[in-house]
Amino acid sequence: MEISVSLLFLIITVVCNLFCNSLSDVICLESERTALLMFKNDLDDPSGRLSSWTGLDCCEWDGIICDVLTGHVRDIRIHNLGGKLSPSLINIKNLAHLDLSRNNFGGAQIPSFIGSLNYLQYLDLSESGFEGIIPHHIGNLSSLEYLNVGDHFGSKLIVTNMQWLSNLSSLKYLDMTGVNLSEPSDWLQVINNLHSLVDLRLSRCRLTLFTSIDVVDFTSLRVLDLSGNDFNSLVPYWIRSLGNLVHLDLSDCGFYNRIPFALQNMTKLEYLNLSSNNFNSTIPDWFSRFVDLEVLNIADNLIEGEIQGLLGNLTSLVSLDLSHNRLEGILPKSLANLCRLEEIYLSGNRFSGDIQVFQGCITKSLRFLYLGSNKFSGELPSNIGDFVKLKKLDIVDNNITGTLPEEFGQLQELEYFVASLNSLEGVVSEEHFRNLSRLKIFRANGNKFSFKPNRKWVPPFQLTGLSLRKWDLGPEFPLWIKHMRNLNYLSLAQTGIIDSIPAWFWNRTSKLSHLNLSSNQIYGQIPSLLNLGFDGNVGVDLKCNRISGPIPPISPNISILVLSSNLFSGSLRDFLCNDVVQENRLEILNLGNNRLSGEIPECWMKWPSMRVLRLEGNNLTGKIPSSIGFLTRLQSLHLRLNNLSGILPFSLQKCVDLLLLDLGRNNLTGKIPVWINKLSKLIVLNLRLNELSGNIPQELCHLNSIQTLDLAGNHLSGKIPRCFNNFSVMAGKQQASDHIYYSVEDTFGGVPDSQFLVLKGRFREYSSTLQLVMTLDLSDNVLSGSIPIEITRLIRLQALNLSRNSLNGNIPDSIADIGFLESLDISKSWLSGEIPQSISRLTFLSHLNLSYNNLTGRIPTGTQLQGFDTSSFIGNGLCGPPLSGKCDENEETLSTEDEEERDGSLLRGERFGVFLSVVLGFVFGFVGVVGPLILNISWRTTYFRLLNSIGNYIYYVLVKTFLR
Ligand SMILES: *[C@@H]1O[C@H](CO)[C@@H](O)[C@H](O)[C@H]1NC(C)=O
Ligand SMILES: *[C@@H]1O[C@H](CO)[C@@H](O)[C@H](O)[C@H]1NC(C)=O
Ligand SMILES: *[C@@H]1O[C@H](CO)[C@@H](O)[C@H](O)[C@H]1NC(C)=O
Ligand SMILES: *[C@@H]1O[C@H](CO)[C@@H](O)[C@H](O)[C@H]1NC(C)=O
């Protein structure tokens, strides 16, 4: 009886242990409960995630799982907490699973006591804010199967010696993403001993490949991620031993040459990422063996050739990314077999052929189709409505012709449509947007569409981005924009609007960051630009319209304001001295070519961020205000073509970042100040056509970087300083600034290829001289003395004009050292002696004027010199061809003053000047705004994203090496 009672009791206990635990009958062990409470105590838990950690049964607490049989805590999983990791965990002896990922342990070291948790099989410390050396004690966890210490957001963990890892012989999963493994050069040997490894992730570990290993024993490995390590080598040979891989990520590793043959045996691959390397082969035929491949990404390489043979067998493909390579040819018909394909990225290649290749079942599955910046042609398919899942369609910068099919209006999933820079045309109607209720971005710049919906049309969508540059929308301002409440980006430039801007429009601008209404015939006044944008960096471009009235007050969010070439009038005082706005962020202000008058007020202290200031071509009078000195970030200042008088303000010397200073065509008086040397970064200095007098100061020679110096048309006297050889860029002793920045307006979506942009841009006629314009113009002053030999040290000069001065003496023999000279004008002075024979060495010379001096003797022979017109030499005592007079007869050629020639040379100089200030003016402003963005990120991988964010708003900046 006694026995059977105890037996019964035993049975009940066992049964209960088996079945009742989950019903919370079993209380957890007191020692473990205490340990957990101590553990909790050291954690920060402001939001009460561990509020269930009370009561006796710790097995009931959130994040805790106990062993059903023994009641021991087996499993701890806590997230989103801070604080410290208490060593009390040691008392939880049977712990098998510890998941502390996604916490914030505030830069603490991983505690070594974790190495004493002998039963641990699963340890996840990822993204938990641990720093420092990973303790080798973890190597004691011989049962460990899963170890994750990775951090995708940047880890500060480090391993200096990997040996401890080799003890973890049960390890199946190892993730050390972001951990610094640059020191242990034996990482591969160590890992090669982990024979159970299935999944290995060593992304961004700063690994190196100094190893002689070429066979590895990774037969069990299914997943390998080595992305983001800068190996900068060939793909290592041992990769061929990984025939069972299902997932391989070698992106961004600096691998080069051909796509490795060794991949061909990995026929089980489902995911292959080789993007952002420098592979330059074609896509090998054996890719067609990857019949299970779902994701193929080889974007951002130098891969060439066609893809005809590639796709046929890849019927499992879901995502295909070949963008930004050098692929060409037409797309294979076999695309139609890829019935699972959802994403195609082919942007930035040279694919051609008809865009209608997308037929068959692919039309039903495609969600993302990116074809931008290729050479696709043909018309949009009339069955475009069959692409029932299409969310994003990008065909920017191709040669797509024809109209927009009405079926476009059936793409009810469509969110994003970018078709700028094609040759589409025709009439677009409300029908084209019928079901596009999800549309957010619509960009179709540069096509010849006409769109004039009914005035009562209410669009089914709420757009955030809209650009219709060059569409025919006018003459009325499009009324339907009234319904767009979330616009972030709007370009209606060049759309034939002949209207005033309706008042409701300004209630639709509170989320705008880009507004471009330029090149229309918008008239009327603008009451204010105060309600614009919700954070900084708003750009507004209303140039080339007929807007009148005063310059409106602006929101402090505006950083770029372009109102040039309008009819704005009145004084600048209200705008610049406005007290409403406290913190102006304006960096670029262009009010050029308006009808502004009055003095420039002393209010520049309110505009501390200004980098580019353009007020040229107005009717401004008075002095240049001394508060201009508060603009200490100014890089580009244009006051040309006004009626400014007085001297250059002393305070201007504080604008030490100035690269361009253009004060030409005013009535400025006084001397060129000696403090000009403070503006030592100047690349362009234009003081042309003012009333400046006195000597040219020696201090001017401190402008080492100067490339264009124009002091023509003043009353400067005295000798030309003998220190011009200090202009070290002109002298070829110093490189011109590393990069020059050309801006070409609104060539959004263009190929990042200099040639393309320069040719397409409006600076076409200058494209050959654009890169190296170096000019020195001192003409039309009263300079005396001889031509200093130091000027001939400026061997990079392309144009030199010293004409209409009172220079005497000989033309220095060394003039021929200025080997790049294309234009030389030293006419109308008192130069004497013979033309040096050396001048015939100036092989680039295309314009020469030596007329009206006292030169004598024979014109040197040299094919070039004889090719110039006689007017280049008349008014001297010269003889020989091209002049008709024979030398022996000692006859002077007669001629009258040739005003046309005089004007001709002036115009020529002026053209250089105008051109430079146009280019550099736009340009340097963007050095600050856009330049750093472009320079600091990888151009190739992000240019498209960047373009999307800068948009086609005003300027597309092209970075180009200045000197080849
Ligand atoms: C590929 O690049 C390697 C150097 O990385 C070069 O030697 C080879 O000629 C290139 N091949 C092609 C087809 O451009
Ligand atoms: C591919 O596998 C076959 C047989 O499995 C083997 O003979 C061949 O050497 C392997 N090729 C490579 C490049 O590893
Ligand atoms: C496509 O796959 C089939 C069978 O899977 C194979 O016989 C054929 O050779 C493959 N085609 C190519 C081009 O590799
Ligand atoms: C664009 O396509 C048309 C016809 O489709 C063709 O005639 C023209 O040459 C193409 N233009 C370019 C620049 O490829």
Side-chain angles (χ1 to χ4, degrees):
M1 198 58 195
E2 189 72 32
I3 289 170
S4 64
V5 169
S6 357
L7 194 64
L8 187 63
F9 185 67
L10 186 67
I11 289 171
I12 288 173
T13 311
V14 168
V15 168
C16 230
N17 262 335
L18 278 175
F19 299 111
C20 311
N21 239 359
S22 54
L23 303 172
S24 81
D25 285 340
V26 166
I27 305 265
C28 80
L29 302 178
E30 180 56 26
S31 61
E32 297 191 350
R33 197 179 75 96
T34 314
L36 284 176
L37 284 176
M38 288 170 72
F39 172 63
K40 176 191 175 186
N41 237 1
D42 277 0
L43 295 173
D44 292 338
D45 182 18
S47 53
R49 283 172 200 278
L50 301 184
S51 56
S52 65
W53 287 33
T54 54
L56 286 183
D57 189 0
C58 66
C59 299
E60 280 293 287
W61 297 353
D62 285 347
I64 304 296
I65 299 175
C66 297
D67 189 290
V68 184
L69 286 174
T70 63
H72 283 291
V73 171
R74 268 197 45 208
D75 234 90
I76 300 181
R77 308 172 192 216
I78 59 156
H79 310 289
N80 302 312
L81 296 170
K84 282 190 306 193
L85 204 51
S86 163
S88 65
L89 279 186
I90 291 191
N91 296 325
I92 304 179
K93 292 260 172 353
N94 291 29
L95 198 61
H97 186 116
L98 179 58
D99 181 355
L100 300 176
S101 61
R102 287 174 286 120
N103 288 295
N104 181 7
F105 293 109
Q109 282 217 313
I110 295 176
S112 52
F113 71 78
I114 288 185
S116 313
L117 299 169
N118 292 329
Y119 294 97
L120 220 48
Q121 292 171 2
Y122 185 106
L123 178 59
D124 190 346
L125 304 177
S126 63
E127 283 155 29
S128 286
F130 287 115
E131 292 179 10
I133 294 183
I134 298 179
H136 61 85
H137 309 81
I138 290 183
N140 299 341
L141 303 174
S142 54
S143 311
L144 208 59
E145 293 179 6
Y146 180 106
L147 175 59
N148 189 348
V149 288
D151 192 333
H152 289 272
F153 306 103
S155 171
K156 288 187 182 160
L157 288 169
I158 179 166
V159 173
T160 48
N161 184 334
M162 299 268 283
Q163 278 309 321
W164 55 268
L165 256 179
S166 52
N167 301 335
L168 303 179
S169 54
S170 313
L171 210 56
K172 291 186 178 140
Y173 181 103
L174 176 61
D175 186 341
M176 304 185 91
T177 299
V179 177
N180 182 347
L181 302 181
S182 58
E183 234 173 279
S185 55
D186 59 345
W187 64 271
L188 188 58
Q189 283 91 330
V190 170
I191 285 170
N192 196 18
N193 290 328
L194 304 177
H195 297 297
S196 314
L197 214 51
V198 174
D199 193 325
L200 175 62
R201 298 173 195 243
L202 299 178
S203 172
R204 281 176 278 141
C205 291
R206 306 189 215 175
L207 295 173
T208 47
L209 276 175
F210 296 118
T211 169
S212 51
I213 289 200
D214 35 67
V215 186
V216 287
D217 181 15
F218 279 149
T219 42
S220 53
L221 204 62
R222 297 289 179 275
V223 176
L224 177 63
D225 182 354
L226 295 177
S227 63
N229 289 292
D230 191 12
F231 294 124
N232 202 9
S233 70
L234 300 170
V235 175
Y237 196 53
W238 50 261
I239 207 103
R240 78 188 190 288
S241 333
L242 310 179
N244 291 322
L245 282 186
V246 170
H247 178 118
L248 176 60
D249 191 344
L250 299 179
S251 62
D252 197 14
C253 284
F255 288 133
Y256 52 78
N257 217 342
R258 44 193 310 140
I259 294 177
F261 209 54
L263 299 185
Q264 66 174 315
N265 276 7
M266 299 182 189
T267 51
K268 296 173 186 159
L269 278 180
E270 292 172 10
Y271 175 102
L272 176 59
N273 191 345
L274 302 176
S275 65
S276 301
N277 284 289
N278 291 310
F279 292 119
N280 66 357
S281 59
T282 54
I283 300 178
D285 283 347
W286 42 260
F287 263 50
S288 58
R289 293 187 192 172
F290 298 152
V291 290
D292 294 325
L293 207 58
E294 293 179 4
V295 175
L296 174 57
N297 184 349
I298 48 180
D300 291 302
N301 279 287
L302 305 166
I303 294 169
E304 302 183 339
E306 308 200 354
I307 60 169
Q308 276 299 328
L310 167 66
L311 298 171
N313 274 10
L314 305 185
T315 50
S316 304
L317 268 192
V318 175
S319 173
L320 173 66
D321 190 346
L322 306 177
S323 53
H324 305 296
N325 279 293
R326 297 169 177 176
L327 294 162
E328 60 194 7
I330 60 173
L331 299 182
K333 291 231 161 52
S334 54
L335 262 178
N337 305 333
L338 309 185
C339 300
R340 298 182 58 197
L341 203 52
E342 295 180 10
E343 306 175 0
I344 300 186
Y345 306 95
L346 302 179
S347 301
N349 283 287
R350 300 158 187 174
F351 289 117
S352 54
D354 200 318
I355 196 176
Q356 300 210 10
V357 67
F358 298 97
Q359 297 287 342
C361 60
I362 205 171
T363 58
K364 303 283 185 251
S365 60
L366 268 183
R367 295 192 304 130
F368 302 111
L369 182 55
Y370 281 76
L371 304 175
S373 297
N374 280 290
K375 296 174 179 168
F376 289 111
S377 56
E379 305 194 354
L380 290 170
S382 59
N383 68 339
I384 195 167
D386 294 350
F387 290 76
V388 285
K389 292 190 180 161
L390 203 59
K391 261 185 144 93
K392 301 199 175 184
L393 176 59
D394 178 349
I395 53 171
V396 69
D397 188 22
N398 279 287
N399 186 17
I400 313 293
T401 50
T403 58
L404 188 67
E406 222 168 79
E407 287 72 7
F408 182 76
Q410 293 163 16
L411 298 174
Q412 39 185 317
E413 298 293 323
L414 198 66
E415 294 172 4
Y416 176 95
F417 178 69
V418 178
S420 301
L421 297 173
N422 280 291
S423 305
L424 292 159
E425 60 195 356
V427 175
V428 173
S429 71
E430 297 92 321
E431 204 53 33
H432 288 91
F433 300 103
R434 174 174 283 276
N435 291 327
L436 304 188
S437 58
R438 295 177 195 229
L439 196 63
K440 292 274 179 295
I441 308 271
F442 187 91
R443 289 185 175 163
N445 284 336
N447 292 293
K448 288 196 202 117
F449 285 123
S450 161
F451 182 44
K452 305 188 179 189
N454 189 300
R455 302 185 82 234
K456 293 187 181 139
W457 184 55
V458 181
F461 45 67
Q462 279 296 336
L463 297 178
T464 59
L466 175 65
S467 36
L468 305 177
R469 177 189 266 265
K470 285 198 179 168
W471 284 42
D472 177 12
L473 303 177
E476 193 179 19
F477 195 93
L479 278 176
W480 58 273
I481 305 275
K482 195 195 302 206
H483 303 285
M484 301 293 109
R485 292 163 193 285
N486 299 323
L487 279 175
N488 172 254
Y489 178 96
L490 177 64
S491 169
L492 301 177
Q494 272 180 284
T495 50
I497 298 172
I498 309 177
D499 199 352
S500 54
I501 299 177
W504 54 256
F505 179 77
W506 303 111
N507 297 331
R508 293 289 173 269
T509 55
S510 59
K511 293 178 183 169
L512 271 185
S513 61
H514 294 281
L515 171 62
N516 187 350
L517 302 176
S518 65
S519 301
N520 284 292
Q521 296 187 51
I522 293 170
Y523 53 80
Q525 304 198 359
I526 293 185
S528 101
L529 292 171
L530 285 167
N531 180 27
L532 236 77
F534 49 90
D535 51 12
N537 292 324
V538 176
V540 176
D541 183 357
L542 304 178
K543 72 168 170 292
C544 301
N545 279 293
R546 303 199 320 234
I547 305 171
S548 55
I551 305 287
I554 64 169
S555 150
N557 293 321
I558 294 183
S559 61
I560 302 175
L561 179 63
V562 179
L563 302 179
S564 54
S565 300
N566 276 290
L567 305 173
F568 286 104
S569 60
S571 106
L572 282 168
R573 179 164 300 278
D574 287 347
F575 174 72
L576 291 177
C577 306
N578 194 336
D579 272 329
V580 178
V581 169
Q582 288 306 313
E583 238 188 273
N584 282 303
R585 301 209 195 114
L586 202 60
E587 296 186 23
I588 296 176
L589 175 62
N590 187 349
L591 304 178
N593 300 310
N594 278 291
R595 297 180 174 175
L596 300 168
S597 57
E599 300 197 354
I600 304 174
E602 286 283 8
C603 291
W604 294 109
M605 51 294 246
K606 293 171 184 282
W607 306 88
S609 306
M610 198 74 77
R611 292 171 191 270
V612 176
L613 177 57
R614 307 195 57 156
L615 301 174
E616 79 271 21
N618 282 290
N619 196 18
L620 299 168
T621 53
K623 294 182 189 161
I624 299 175
S626 67
S627 61
I628 203 97
F630 285 97
L631 304 184
T632 52
R633 296 185 192 173
L634 204 60
Q635 293 177 320
S636 187
L637 175 62
H638 306 247
L639 300 175
R640 183 162 40 92
L641 266 169
N642 279 292
N643 284 317
L644 298 169
S645 53
I647 60 168
L648 267 64
F650 191 66
S651 59
L652 192 61
Q653 63 182 301
K654 293 195 189 135
C655 305
V656 292
D657 280 339
L658 270 176
L659 302 173
L660 182 148
L661 179 58
D662 182 358
L663 307 177
R665 287 199 181 233
N666 281 291
N667 301 315
L668 299 171
T669 51
K671 296 181 171 185
I672 297 176
V674 292
W675 49 255
I676 196 83
N677 59 3
K678 301 275 173 47
L679 308 182
S680 61
K681 295 182 185 169
L682 275 180
I683 295 176
V684 176
L685 176 60
N686 183 359
L687 300 175
R688 186 184 189 83
L689 289 167
N690 279 289
E691 309 288 336
L692 299 171
S693 55
N695 291 345
I696 299 176
Q698 297 278 333
E699 284 78 4
L700 193 71
C701 297
H702 290 123
L703 306 184
N704 289 336
S705 306
I706 203 86
Q707 291 181 40
T708 287
L709 177 60
D710 190 344
L711 308 178
N714 283 287
H715 309 299
L716 299 171
S717 56
K719 294 186 174 174
I720 299 175
R722 306 205 60 155
C723 54
F724 274 21
N725 53 331
N726 286 353
F727 297 144
S728 37
V729 174
M730 283 186 182
K733 284 186 257 170
Q734 183 187 321
Q735 284 261 315
S737 50
D738 278 357
H739 298 96
I740 193 161
Y741 305 80
Y742 299 102
S743 70
V744 178
E745 285 174 65
D746 202 0
T747 41
F748 161 72
V751 191
D753 172 344
S754 52
Q755 218 61 23
F756 175 86
L757 285 172
V758 171
L759 289 179
K760 278 211 162 182
R762 59 185 167 126
F763 303 127
R764 181 179 192 142
E765 69 167 302
Y766 302 104
S767 56
S768 59
T769 50
L770 198 57
Q771 304 157 47
L772 286 167
V773 182
M774 299 210 197
T775 72
L776 176 60
D777 193 343
L778 306 178
S779 64
D780 207 4
N781 281 292
V782 281
L783 297 167
S784 56
S786 57
I787 299 176
I789 205 150
E790 287 76 11
I791 279 196
T792 68
R793 304 285 180 259
L794 304 179
I795 56 170
R796 290 263 162 193
L797 269 186
Q798 288 160 294
L800 175 62
N801 192 344
L802 304 176
S803 68
R804 281 166 287 146
N805 279 292
S806 304
L807 300 172
N808 54 32
N810 294 345
I811 301 175
D813 201 36
S814 52
I815 194 103
D817 294 347
I818 315 179
F820 290 93
L821 212 53
E822 290 174 29
S823 170
L824 174 63
D825 188 347
I826 42 181
S827 63
K828 302 189 179 95
S829 265
W830 302 103
L831 298 170
S832 55
E834 299 196 351
I835 302 175
Q837 179 67 38
S838 62
I839 209 162
S840 60
R841 296 206 315 260
L842 292 172
T843 46
F844 293 122
L845 210 56
S846 59
H847 176 257
L848 175 69
N849 194 350
L850 307 177
S851 65
Y852 302 105
N853 281 290
N854 291 329
L855 299 169
T856 52
R858 177 184 288 276
I859 296 173
T861 44
T863 40
Q864 217 139 350
L865 291 184
Q866 272 63 45
F868 287 111
D869 195 71
T870 52
S871 59
S872 298
F873 304 101
I874 54 174
N876 287 291
L878 293 165
C879 61
L883 297 179
S884 51
K886 296 245 168 60
C887 282
D888 340 343
E889 290 159 23
N890 218 358
E891 218 176 70
E892 234 180 78
T893 10
L894 295 173
S895 158
T896 52
E897 187 83 6
D898 184 347
E899 278 303 322
E900 266 175 36
E901 171 57 29
R902 194 189 173 104
D903 291 342
S905 71
L906 182 77
L907 273 177
R908 189 187 167 88
E910 189 74 338
R911 197 177 74 159
F912 267 117
V914 170
F915 149 63
L916 256 172
S917 38
V918 169
V919 175
L920 297 175
F922 281 122
V923 159
F924 288 116
F926 284 81
V927 177
V929 181
V930 185
L933 257 175
I934 292 183
L935 296 176
N936 293 345
I937 55 184
S938 158
W939 171 260
R940 259 175 59 231
T941 54
T942 44
Y943 93 95
F944 228 78
R945 217 176 307 146
L946 179 71
L947 281 179
N948 284 340
S949 66
I950 307 174
N952 61 345
Y953 160 54
I954 316 183
Y955 306 107
Y956 179 90
V957 176
L958 169 66
V959 181
K960 195 170 170 172
T961 308
F962 191 50
L963 285 172
R964 295 231 176 102

